Amino acid sequence: AMGTFLLCTTVWEVALSPLSQAGALAVIPIGFAVFLAHTVLLPIDGCSINPTRSFGPAIVSHMRGCATKDSVGTKDSAGMKDLWVMCVGPLLGAAASA
């Protein structure tokens, strides 16, 4: 949610707002926002600032039978089980920035 909030707010303020005078240079703060979100969130949740980016790998890993072992050694398709978090978080962040 935080990464999507940062990205949406940055895009609005530098590229879409009529008060912005960034012009063609709007890509620089947007790129920095994406970089910052990835730097901070990648170790935490894989940086799911885009639900589509999380959905694709979860579906493919589920179809290929890729499983991870949980703490008790049980194989689990965690990508599909936790996919709702990767969708709800960015949607909440986008809604908060709107």
Side-chain angles (χ1 to χ4, degrees):
M2 293 183 313
T4 306
F5 175 81
L6 173 68
L7 179 59
C8 289
T9 303
T10 304
V11 169
W12 171 255
E13 292 299 327
V14 299
L16 300 175
S17 174
L19 301 176
S20 174
Q21 297 179 5
L25 296 176
V27 297
I28 294 172
I30 293 170
F32 279 131
V34 172
F35 171 75
L36 181 63
H38 280 76
T39 302
V40 173
L41 296 175
L42 197 57
I44 298 170
D45 68 354
C47 192
S48 180
I49 60 175
N50 180 355
T52 306
R53 173 63 182 85
S54 301
F55 183 71
I59 294 297
V60 170
S61 67
H62 181 69
M63 290 172 58
R64 294 192 63 183
C66 300
T68 58
K69 290 185 179 180
D70 60 8
S71 59
V72 292
T74 309
K75 285 192 173 183
D76 184 18
S77 180
M80 291 300 292
K81 185 177 80 172
D82 298 333
L83 185 62
W84 71 273
V85 175
M86 304 304 176
C87 292
V88 171
L91 293 174
L92 289 174
S97 72

